[in-house]
Amino acid sequence: FFFSLLDKMRDSFLLSFLLSFLLRGSPLHALTYSTTPPPAGGIASSFEGWASSAGIVAPKIRIDDADELRNVIVTADVEEGEVLCVVPRTRCLDLASLAVDPTKAGASPCERLAPTRLWASLDWHERLSVWLLAEARRGRASEICGYIDYLPSPASFEDGLLDWTDAELAELRYPPLAAAVREQRDSIRRLLEALRAGGGADAGSVTLEELSWAQQLVLSRAFASDINKGERGATSGAMGSRAPLPPPPPPKSGFQKAWERSELSTVVATRMPKLPSLDDLKGAIGGEPVNDPSFAMALMPMLDSFNHKSGAVNGCSFDPEANAFVLTAGAPLRRGEEAYISYGDKGNDALLQLFGFVEASNPHDSFLAVGLPEHVAAVARDSFRGGGGEAEVTRRVGLIDSLGLGPSLASAELTARGAPQGTWHALRLLLGSVEEVSGDLARLRGAVSLETEARCWAALRSYCKAARAAMGGARKADLAEARSTACPPRRALALQLRAEKKRLLSELEAALVAVESRSRKAGKPLSTVAMP
């Protein structure tokens, strides 16, 4: 469903949690949001009271909502390996729990919204969204009512990308993300239509606002919940793939989206991460997976209150004896500091679309190389003038397609470290000498000559320059405006994303210059700049 690589901004929606709300109402009515003032201790205090009564154990942490952002703060020194939080599985909305319980396997937990026939056709994020809505409508009868009270209301998402206008999305200057947001909107509408066409007795009262609220919460808060079967005690494992994206639709032909204000003849590659692999899910919790790994996902109260930091080492595991998820400190923590988890190796596209923030110098960021095939083909035509020109380029493009390398150019994901091996292979096919391209094409998976590598490095450098120009303005100017108090929040987010994409492209250019310099001194290509 979504095209892609999403993103979050710490000053914005999912972690701003400013507005308290209370989800009430009978199963026959749409959700209403409480206007009752929060208790004296605040929303976090009320949630922590519920969590304690629900058996959630967190003796050395508290949720701080004094500022506009919620943070998890350490209240006493914590040693490496010490437990930070224990969350009973019964207080989670865990799809895997339905799969392993023979009395529930295959059955919908919310028949009045999504009968089993409809439930079976839904993807994991759609199931969790509908289940969350059903629990919210149960009000105080829900076993997770205190958690639902704590969740942000729809108003908290007002600066989320789903609510941006087309003009505001254009300010991103990054068409893949704008396309992803539009597709996400369409997917929510399709789910609403499915509920109205095949839902249960209460499905007709579900609104688009409610469904958007639930989907944004699920995609920003769900964790892999793979269960370790047949072993005793907690198993180690990183929290890993938080909210992996739904699978992509079939590829669309043409990729006909123009890059705004760019000199490139461009396309937008519609690429999305796939559902987590078996190994991804085993890395998230550890042990043997449930039968269908794509549905081992859960909403976990308290655990989803932690903010993200790349490289955070606090890890989650499942303790089958306690039937609970356990978060353990991966390094010592001192009283008063914030405790973090990693939401996974997510680039800024994923962080902004899913979580509403952009991470500066994000080591996992990437740049979807819109227009790279056209740009490199133009470079190749210039190289072959007098030697076949257009016909030679057409022949080489045919070779690339015959080897299945077309997507390696059209959907290339660049990082500050380089490009995927398949992209370099395709570049060598387009820019290699006639002799190299007439021989064993498999040899071009690696460097074959300094001259060809230099042409590839130069072509990618010139693409980086063109892409930075297409995103408009200087990176420092973007950041200065974004930090200004006069800058509207949505504009600030767009500028921060642009600044990070420009940083990535500049760093890649520098890496290409460095490897060429070293190679020329040595008289041979010393290395290929590529992603590890």
Side-chain angles (χ1 to χ4, degrees), residues 145-176:
C145 60
Y147 173 57
I148 294 174
D149 289 351
Y150 172 75
L151 293 172
S153 69
S156 299
F157 293 88
E158 63 183 6
D159 286 324
L161 296 188
L162 281 180
D163 287 338
W164 287 27
T165 65
D166 285 345
E168 287 168 334
L169 289 174
E171 285 298 305
L172 294 169
R173 305 285 179 88
Y174 191 55

Side-chain angles (χ1 to χ4, degrees), residues 302-442:
M302 186 66 81
L303 292 180
D304 63 6
S305 298
F306 288 76
N307 284 335
H308 164 79
K309 179 183 285 186
S310 291
V313 293
N314 297 323
C316 188
S317 60
F318 180 74
D319 183 345
E321 288 185 343
N323 194 29
F325 297 99
V326 181
L327 183 67
T328 305
L333 296 167
R334 300 281 72 91
R335 181 176 182 272
E337 71 175 285
E338 182 174 357
Y340 295 92
I341 60 173
S342 170
Y343 295 173
D345 296 345
K346 296 188 183 301
N348 278 325
D349 304 46
L351 292 179
L352 181 54
Q353 187 175 351
L354 287 180
F355 306 103
F357 72 87
V358 176
E359 184 177 12
S361 301
N362 184 347
H364 308 297
D365 203 12
S366 62
F367 185 93
L368 189 60
V370 176
L372 182 60
E374 292 77 12
H375 181 83
V376 179
V379 172
R381 289 187 196 96
D382 289 340
S383 301
F384 302 140
R385 281 181 180 172
E390 186 66 43
E392 179 63 11
V393 170
T394 300
R395 181 180 80 85
R396 293 179 181 226
V397 169
L399 292 175
I400 290 172
D401 289 340
S402 70
L403 294 174
L405 292 172
S408 295
L409 279 182
S411 302
E413 282 191 71
L414 307 180
T415 74
R417 303 179 303 279
Q421 183 184 28
T423 302
W424 289 111
H425 192 182
L427 289 173
R428 294 184 190 108
L429 286 167
L430 267 176
L431 299 171
S433 68
V434 173
E435 294 77 15
E436 290 167 348
V437 178
S438 299
D440 180 8
L441 299 182

Side-chain angles (χ1 to χ4, degrees), residues 74-103:
V74 177
T75 59
D77 289 353
V78 174
E79 299 305 317
E80 180 178 352
E82 191 171 349
V83 171
L84 290 171
C85 183
V86 179
V87 180
R89 192 181 185 194
T90 55
R91 291 298 187 260
C92 302
L93 290 188
D94 183 11
L95 293 175
S97 69
L98 302 178
V100 299
D101 185 342
T103 67

Side-chain angles (χ1 to χ4, degrees), residues 26-31 110-115 118 130 133 137 191-211:
S26 73
L28 298 178
H29 297 86
L31 297 179
C110 45
E111 288 281 345
R112 293 185 66 85
L113 281 184
L118 175 59
V130 174
L133 279 181
R137 289 177 170 224
L191 176 57
L192 182 61
E193 291 170 1
L195 285 172
R196 288 177 175 170
D202 298 342
S205 62
V206 174
T207 67
L208 184 62
E209 180 190 48
E210 286 179 81
L211 206 53

